[in-house]
Amino acid sequence: MLSAVIDYWRDVGLDVTARDLSRDVFVDMREKNNHHASAWGGDGGLDAMVLPINYLPVSSESSWYATGWAQWYSDPKNPDAVEPPAEVIRQLELYNQLKATADAEKQNKLMRDILDISANQFYVMGIALPPNRKGLVAKNFKNVPKVIPAAWSYATPAPTNPSQYYLESQ
């Protein structure tokens, strides 16, 4: 997929080179903000509130972009911290409000506001959704949902409550 993206970017005049790095080297470069862009799998927006790293820089360990901004959010005195622009500071303020409330309706509104800013700033570019996955379930294995989302942030199959699956006597 990344090879196709690079070809498209070159077609519009961007000079792009992809490097296949070991995970430890990639993470080290990203945490030190020593990169221009990175490519990684996402969750397709399954639950932005649970895993907001694609929409605002809240953690230098998990942000795929602007790790200096994430370090500023965690500790503005960090020598690697970079003060973000006003739009990002506004997002981070909204995120702090979201974390401070237990009101689900208010949380949803705050997250929508965060996502609106993210969409306007275009920090992360989704290029493809993961392919549909297929699974087999025995006819006598019951209470298994027909559709189970597959994403790292969903922790498949835990949210489907496997303790409630059961075997039907034949």
Side-chain angles (χ1 to χ4, degrees), residues 35-156:
H35 68 295
H36 297 287
S38 61
W40 200 262
D43 62 4
L46 184 63
D47 195 342
M49 199 179 312
V50 171
L51 191 65
I53 61 172
N54 292 315
Y55 313 102
L56 70 159
V58 293
S59 164
S60 63
E61 292 112 31
S62 57
S63 285
W64 308 117
Y65 66 96
T67 49
W69 296 350
Q71 288 165 338
W72 180 89
Y73 177 66
S74 298
D75 177 11
K77 294 180 182 169
N78 180 325
D80 295 324
V82 175
E83 184 172 348
E87 298 87 359
V88 177
I89 291 173
R90 178 68 183 138
Q91 275 189 300
L92 296 171
E93 289 168 350
L94 292 168
Y95 185 63
N96 286 339
Q97 292 174 36
L98 183 151
K99 293 188 301 180
T101 183
D103 181 320
E105 192 173 311
K106 188 173 181 181
Q107 286 179 333
N108 286 332
K109 166 139 181 26
L110 290 164
M111 195 66 207
R112 278 192 304 274
D113 293 345
I114 289 167
L115 293 174
D116 285 345
I117 295 169
S118 184
N120 289 332
Q121 296 303 309
F122 203 57
Y123 307 125
V124 174
M125 181 184 347
I127 57 172
L129 290 173
N132 289 332
R133 298 178 185 174
K134 304 291 181 196
L136 299 174
V137 178
K139 288 182 181 181
N140 68 331
F141 198 59
K142 301 297 181 178
N143 213 28
V144 180
K146 291 202 181 297
V147 176
I148 300 174
W152 182 86
S153 61
Y154 188 72
T156 303

Side-chain angles (χ1 to χ4, degrees), residues 23-34:
R23 188 179 187 128
D24 59 330
V25 171
F26 170 71
V27 169
D28 185 58
M29 288 179 70
R30 191 187 70 226
E31 286 182 2
K32 291 179 179 166
N33 204 24
N34 188 17

